[in-house]
Amino acid sequence: MFSNQPRPEDVVRLPEIVALLGPYLKAPDLFSCIQVCHLWNQLLTPWLWRSIDDTKHSWPSILSNHRNPESHGDKDADWIRAIFAKYGHHIRELTSRWGIILEVANTSGTCNHLESLCIDDLSISRTWDDNNSINDNSSGGSSNEAGTNANTVHRYEGPGLRPHQEATRGPLLSPIFEGILEPRQAQHRTVARQKQDWATAQHFWLLVRQNTQSLFSLRLDSSLDWLCGISNIDFVFDTLASLENLVNLENDMLPLDPNILLERLPGLLSYRTRFRFLHDNNSLTRSFNQLIYLEIWGSVSTRTFFTLLKYLPNLKTLRMDEFKGTLDFTLEGHLILENIPSRLKILRFRNPYARIDELIANLIIPWLPHLTEISLTQLHPATARALGTHCRKLEVVKQIDDGNTIYQDQIRHKPMVNTVGILLRECATLKIIGIPRLTIAEQEFLDSTDVEAELADGDHDGSDSSMESVDRTELSKKKQRSLELQLQVMEHLAALTSLKVLDLGYEYRDIRGAQSKKIQDPNWTIKIEGEPTLDSLELTLATGLDRLSSLTQLEIFGFEGVNHRIGRPELAWMAAAWPKLKVLRGLHEDDFQNVVEDPERTKLRNYMRELRVDVRHATLRPKVTF
């Protein structure tokens, strides 16, 4: 008797199911999958070639040897060209630091659907013949002239400083480069490498011009200017302006006038640069409404800072290196802004010196009332108080480089100040304080190396790898910093003895995004994306939870969305220490359809019910329907 019931293994033959796997698989897994059968090959090959990063996987090994005579016919230059000719039309994201990749991407004629093109440092990629040339010249003689030998390296052996010799020009690959390109310094490159670099720069610009309809993200590395200079800046602006959908630009190549840049790119939303965005004689002169994200690596004067806020009215995120010294702080911020506060929401900068703390607190923070997130090197007391006073919507405070939260003014001999306590006391909307937590993997590594160290104690032969020793030391320091900060928070909370509600969590998942997708496509399988916030309180007895025994009036305790690591010992402590506890938020049953609940969470909820049947498990989030 035959049955028409589908077998479980038939699901892997459904094209709709197989196609859904693509975005979630990494390159090695995709490579294995396309070898399963013809159907999987057909459906998953586009995902395998969708993103190419020639700094990862086997690419560096292949590319460094593609000119090695011993690899002829085996992943050589012809093999690379054939790969791009066959699969180039699948590539949407290309990250490259190899000239050969840019060459074949440009000449294959298939890479014309790029959405993201990111250029890494092209100057450090060396092929087999590059290394041979360097070795030959370092072991033998050298020359200061470019002779007939293609491997000749420009060197100088005369007296005094070595002059910077101009590199060799190569042929122009297109008439558009006539009068545009100029060679840079030879810098010990062989003549062959100089000509190759001259061509690589042209292949890059031609590749960009092949993708004017699709590119929305572009990174210009400084090595592009090192390979070959641009003598006419209008060529760069014209090329960028031809990219109709460009929204993200990262420019490390050369300074660009911000007025011309934003005028020529009306759709640009995000701009990153390692050059000063505004020069003293080249400032913004009018408003540009499109930019919402700006990242500047370099010191910024406060006058420039306020100018940015004034002429970029829709700027939401500003990441910068630091403010200039105390002498550069302007008192005319209100005049530049015309007394109109900025709508900036996210600010990141470095402030390692306490001497500018008062200036930031008095001259900068008051003009940022809509700030929801701030990242800085060290949170000083004046800044913490200013944030509590002026930024009533502040939700996130992070410290860069694991800065201290215990501050002591040693010059004025004032007592230590717990700046986290100031924030918790004065910022009612605060959700996240950047606590340097160990990941589960880091904690497991630290635990395993600690055990190994104990076992080896007494007959250590010095065979431990130095890398593991360094890792253990750094992780131990991070763990100690995390513990110190969490104990500070617990001490502050413990002082609130009349507290009845303590809710440390919030909904971290993208529910609105899931709802909108369901509205657009009723057949869409519900996926609610998001991860609990890692840099939050651990809420374990080891990190000071038992210090909250003073909260005897507590009735509601919430931690949903927090990476809490609460276990059975913590629940047993809560059941005994908080006799008036009525509601626990964080172990409740999830009411989302098709969401598989974490088994460990179910076990903890059942355990708490055994301890305290009177405690109700609930969520702060309203019921959501799809």
Side-chain angles (χ1 to χ4, degrees):
M1 186 174 183
F2 296 97
S3 173
N4 292 325
Q5 292 296 322
R7 296 169 297 177
E9 60 267 25
D10 288 339
V11 71
V12 300
R13 297 188 178 92
L14 295 176
E16 297 83 0
I17 300 298
V18 177
L20 290 174
L21 298 176
Y24 302 99
L25 297 177
K26 296 182 179 179
D29 299 322
L30 283 166
F31 184 72
S32 299
C33 287
I34 64 171
Q35 300 177 72
V36 171
C37 62
H38 178 73
L39 174 64
W40 282 44
N41 184 288
Q42 182 182 17
L43 294 173
L44 297 178
T45 291
W47 289 104
L48 176 62
W49 293 100
R50 178 180 178 84
S51 179
I52 299 294
D53 185 343
D54 64 21
T55 66
K56 296 181 178 179
H57 309 302
S58 301
W59 281 113
S61 176
I62 292 172
L63 295 169
S64 61
N65 285 287
H66 77 276
R67 288 180 176 169
N68 188 338
E70 296 180 3
S71 67
H72 181 69
D74 180 22
K75 295 183 175 60
D76 58 6
D78 290 337
W79 179 86
I80 298 171
R81 291 189 181 92
I83 286 291
F84 272 74
K86 185 176 182 179
Y87 300 111
H89 62 285
H90 293 310
I91 302 176
R92 297 295 179 270
E93 300 171 358
L94 179 60
T95 300
S96 179
R97 67 165 52 166
W98 290 86
I100 182 64
I101 291 294
L102 293 178
E103 177 189 338
V104 297
N106 171 46
T107 58
S108 65
T110 59
C111 293
N112 46 21
H113 300 289
L114 294 181
E115 296 174 358
S116 172
L117 178 56
C118 178
I119 299 303
D120 210 330
D121 191 349
L122 294 162
S123 66
I124 63 176
S125 56
R126 296 188 183 279
T127 61
W128 174 87
D129 52 350
D130 287 332
N131 290 325
N132 270 5
S133 299
I134 292 173
N135 292 335
D136 290 344
N137 281 279
S138 61
S139 60
S142 59
S143 171
N144 63 337
E145 296 289 341
T148 57
N149 184 357
N151 287 333
T152 298
V153 176
H154 290 298
R155 294 184 184 276
Y156 177 69
E157 296 178 336
L161 297 175
R162 176 167 56 88
H164 298 294
Q165 186 167 354
E166 185 179 281
T168 301
R169 296 173 181 263
L172 296 181
L173 304 181
S174 170
I176 66 171
F177 297 114
E178 190 69 46
I180 299 296
L181 306 181
E182 58 183 12
R184 291 308 194 196
Q185 301 160 10
Q187 296 287 358
H188 298 294
R189 291 178 290 164
T190 64
V191 173
R193 179 62 190 254
Q194 294 167 38
K195 291 181 178 180
Q196 175 190 325
D197 291 343
W198 175 272
T200 295
Q202 297 178 73
H203 284 303
F204 165 76
W205 289 110
L206 291 173
L207 181 61
V208 171
R209 290 183 170 232
Q210 278 187 35
N211 291 273
T212 56
Q213 302 297 316
S214 58
L215 268 179
F216 66 80
S217 182
L218 179 65
R219 182 177 188 272
L220 307 175
D221 187 71
S222 58
S223 60
L224 284 167
D225 187 54
W226 180 81
L227 300 182
C228 179
I230 302 292
S231 59
N232 188 342
I233 198 65
D234 289 339
F235 172 83
V236 177
F237 284 121
D238 291 342
T239 302
L240 295 177
S242 70
L243 306 178
E244 299 177 1
N245 296 301
L246 189 68
V247 296
N248 176 38
L249 176 63
E250 186 170 352
N251 168 36
D252 291 346
M253 189 181 70
L254 74 174
L256 297 176
D257 186 311
N259 295 285
I260 300 176
L261 179 70
L262 296 176
E263 184 176 349
R264 298 295 302 274
L265 300 177
L268 192 67
L269 303 179
S270 171
Y271 185 53
R272 298 172 175 87
T273 181
R274 293 192 180 275
F275 293 93
R276 289 183 58 192
F277 184 74
L278 297 173
H279 299 285
D280 295 335
N281 59 348
N282 192 21
S283 178
L284 284 173
T285 56
R286 68 180 183 86
S287 292
F288 295 95
N289 296 322
Q290 70 267 43
L291 209 64
I292 61 175
Y293 180 99
L294 176 61
E295 185 172 330
I296 313 168
W297 290 107
S299 59
V300 175
S301 68
T302 51
R303 184 174 296 278
T304 296
F305 176 81
F306 286 119
T307 301
L308 290 172
L309 299 185
K310 176 180 180 179
Y311 289 118
L312 300 175
N314 292 323
L315 193 66
K316 296 293 183 287
T317 301
L318 175 58
R319 295 168 62 92
M320 47 184 269
D321 193 13
E322 61 184 359
F323 289 105
K324 284 188 175 180
T326 55
L327 298 178
D328 194 62
F329 270 77
T330 179
L331 301 176
E332 301 176 352
H334 65 292
L335 297 178
I336 297 174
L337 291 175
E338 298 177 350
N339 287 319
I340 301 176
S342 168
R343 303 193 66 82
L344 192 72
K345 290 188 174 182
I346 301 174
L347 175 63
R348 179 192 184 277
F349 63 95
R350 297 179 181 274
N351 64 326
Y353 306 112
R355 57 192 173 88
I356 66 171
D357 179 41
E358 296 280 351
L359 295 172
I360 291 174
N362 295 329
L363 302 179
I364 302 297
I365 300 300
W367 294 101
L368 307 174
H370 297 280
L371 209 63
T372 60
E373 178 177 330
I374 186 169
S375 300
L376 64 178
T377 312
Q378 185 170 352
L379 181 65
H380 297 292
T383 304
R385 295 188 186 95
L387 290 171
T389 301
H390 302 287
C391 306
R392 308 308 298 176
K393 299 178 181 180
L394 191 67
E395 297 180 354
V396 179
V397 177
K398 296 181 180 179
Q399 292 196 138
I400 308 166
D401 303 331
D402 299 327
N404 243 327
T405 53
I406 292 292
Y407 172 76
Q408 185 173 21
D409 189 339
Q410 297 179 347
I411 297 178
R412 301 176 186 176
H413 304 289
K414 291 186 177 181
M416 291 191 297
V417 177
N418 181 355
T419 54
V420 170
I422 298 174
L423 284 178
L424 292 173
R425 184 171 59 251
E426 301 189 12
C427 297
T429 56
L430 198 64
K431 291 182 178 180
I432 300 173
I433 301 175
I435 297 175
R437 288 270 303 279
L438 293 182
T439 65
I440 293 177
E442 289 174 335
Q443 184 64 61
E444 290 176 348
F445 172 79
L446 191 60
D447 292 342
S448 66
T449 52
D450 286 343
V451 171
E452 292 170 2
E454 290 177 7
L455 293 175
D457 192 24
D459 68 337
H460 180 65
D461 60 0
S463 61
D464 281 356
S465 70
S466 59
M467 182 59 71
E468 285 197 355
S469 176
V470 171
D471 287 345
R472 183 166 61 243
T473 301
E474 290 302 316
L475 290 179
S476 297
K477 290 180 180 178
K478 182 178 179 181
K479 183 177 181 179
Q480 183 60 33
R481 288 194 298 267
S482 176
L483 180 60
E484 291 173 357
L485 181 53
Q486 293 192 71
L487 292 178
Q488 293 171 33
V489 176
M490 291 301 182
E491 287 177 0
H492 177 81
L493 294 175
L496 307 176
T497 55
S498 299
L499 209 62
K500 292 186 177 182
V501 178
L502 176 58
D503 202 320
L504 303 173
Y506 61 98
E507 180 56 68
Y508 61 91
R509 293 169 293 186
D510 186 11
I511 299 174
R512 291 185 179 180
Q515 287 178 310
S516 63
K517 289 181 180 179
K518 190 66 175 177
I519 293 173
Q520 296 172 7
D521 182 7
N523 297 321
W524 178 73
T525 301
I526 298 174
K527 289 184 296 184
I528 304 171
E529 300 175 337
E531 294 292 337
T533 302
L534 177 62
D535 293 340
S536 53
L537 292 175
E538 193 166 314
L539 300 179
T540 61
L541 296 176
T543 54
L545 180 65
D546 54 354
R547 299 195 179 193
L548 302 186
S549 58
S550 59
L551 306 185
T552 56
Q553 305 301 312
L554 198 66
E555 298 180 1
I556 299 175
F557 182 53
F559 50 86
E560 54 184 318
V562 176
N563 200 319
H564 52 78
R565 300 184 188 172
I566 290 175
R568 294 167 72 96
E570 286 72 28
L571 293 178
W573 178 87
M574 293 179 200
W578 296 334
K580 295 187 178 182
L581 187 66
K582 298 178 180 178
V583 179
L584 205 60
R585 296 171 179 157
L587 299 179
H588 54 280
E589 293 184 56
D590 214 328
D591 59 1
F592 291 132
Q593 298 176 354
N594 302 325
V595 172
V596 179
E597 189 172 47
D598 180 10
E600 184 61 27
R601 178 171 164 174
T602 303
K603 291 178 182 178
L604 291 175
R605 181 172 64 249
N606 292 336
Y607 178 67
M608 188 63 181
R609 283 173 173 167
E610 293 176 7
L611 296 172
R612 293 280 300 273
V613 69
D614 59 313
V615 173
R616 182 167 60 90
H617 295 272
T619 175
L620 187 64
R621 170 185 49 75
K623 185 175 178 61
V624 177
T625 58
F626 287 92

